[in-house]
Amino acid sequence: MAYYQYYDDFKLIDKETGVEKRLSDFGGIVYNPDNDSITRSMLLDAEHITSKNDNQDGERYVKTVYGTRIIEVPVYFSEDLGAGELFELSGWLGKKRQQTFQWVNDEERKEIDVVYKEGFDMEILFGEKFNGLATLSFIAHNPYWNIRDEKPLIFNNLKQDNEIKLKNKGNTECYPLIEVTPEDGIKVVKLEINGLTVELKGLDKPIYL
């Protein structure tokens, strides 16, 4: 049975320095007012590109492209924050460059590059403590999640007519790097990638696709 994993923390990794900090470092947690459900955007907004001919009804479909991905995170700051900590929090969010976003304890080990999208407005009384709710909003201009620390899949001692099927878990085509190393007795290798069939003959040394 499939299930949806709930996350209560995330971290941002500075792509230039490698420094990482978590929401929980600032006394925050991902806020879920309903313990039984949570709403997540599962598909990106799509733009359907068409062309129009004034001599014909309707339009001609050309292609569909995805827009940017927006990640909105409701958070609750459960610990008292002073003005200094709030300025540090704003600096963590508001970098003028991309940071790598990762959910903490994500079993799928996915990540995505983001910049902060919206202003972080709060009413602050200097010298006082603060806790409460806020919504953090990030934008990923490349909308696709990547798997960190990818590991190669290796198949050895394949026999003639062996068939191996690999399934992409995402909702778009992927283009893996494939290394084919010939073995004795294997004269022809056939691969099908994203509906395209490739046939390799006369291999005498490794080849990359």
Side-chain angles (χ1 to χ4, degrees):
M1 177 183 294
Y3 68 96
Y4 189 87
Q5 184 179 1
Y6 175 72
Y7 313 105
D8 58 10
D9 199 1
F10 71 86
K11 59 184 175 181
L12 295 175
I13 303 173
D14 191 305
K15 293 171 64 67
E16 292 186 3
T17 66
V19 174
E20 64 178 62
K21 286 190 176 182
R22 301 185 179 193
L23 175 67
S24 55
D25 293 336
F26 301 93
I29 60 172
V30 178
Y31 177 67
N32 181 20
D34 186 345
N35 292 326
D36 295 327
S37 66
I38 190 168
T39 300
R40 292 270 189 237
S41 176
M42 304 304 293
L43 281 176
L44 300 166
D45 291 336
E47 178 184 356
H48 306 296
I49 299 176
T50 61
S51 64
K52 184 172 178 59
N53 187 329
D54 293 338
N55 296 321
Q56 294 179 339
D57 295 332
E59 298 178 341
R60 182 178 67 87
Y61 172 80
V62 177
K63 64 179 180 179
T64 296
V65 295
Y66 288 132
T68 56
R69 181 184 295 276
I70 305 299
I71 301 174
E72 291 190 336
V73 186
V75 298
Y76 173 68
F77 294 98
S78 57
E79 298 180 6
D80 289 337
L81 296 177
E85 290 93 345
L86 282 172
F87 280 125
E88 185 179 355
L89 172 62
S90 299
W92 174 61
L93 294 172
K95 285 184 168 53
K96 293 183 178 180
R97 57 180 179 270
Q98 285 186 324
Q99 300 189 85
T100 300
F101 179 104
Q102 295 176 2
W103 294 111
V104 175
N105 298 324
D106 179 11
E107 296 175 359
E108 295 182 332
R109 300 180 297 108
K110 59 183 178 291
E111 64 183 15
I112 195 168
D113 291 336
V114 302
V115 291
Y116 195 69
K117 178 177 181 288
E118 301 285 352
F120 189 42
D121 296 332
M122 291 184 184
E123 182 179 355
I124 303 171
L125 295 176
F126 289 94
E128 298 294 332
K129 296 292 186 178
F130 167 87
N131 58 35
L133 299 173
T135 297
L136 308 181
S137 181
F138 302 90
I139 180 169
H141 293 91
N142 178 351
Y144 296 114
W145 292 90
N146 297 303
I147 302 300
R148 62 183 183 273
D149 304 323
E150 290 182 305
K151 295 179 174 58
L153 297 175
I154 302 175
F155 303 95
N156 294 316
N157 302 317
L158 297 181
K159 305 299 182 182
Q160 197 76 27
D161 298 326
N162 276 165
E163 181 176 310
I164 298 174
K165 293 184 177 180
L166 303 179
K167 185 177 181 181
N168 173 25
K169 294 174 62 177
N171 60 358
T172 190
E173 294 178 342
C174 65
Y175 300 92
L177 176 63
I178 300 174
E179 178 187 2
V180 179
T181 301
E183 296 180 354
D184 293 340
I186 302 296
K187 297 181 178 179
V188 179
V189 175
K190 288 185 178 180
L191 303 170
E192 183 176 341
I193 307 172
N194 297 326
L196 175 65
T197 299
V198 178
E199 183 173 306
L200 306 175
K201 297 181 179 180
L203 293 177
D204 58 2
K205 59 182 179 181
I207 185 173
Y208 290 91
L209 302 176

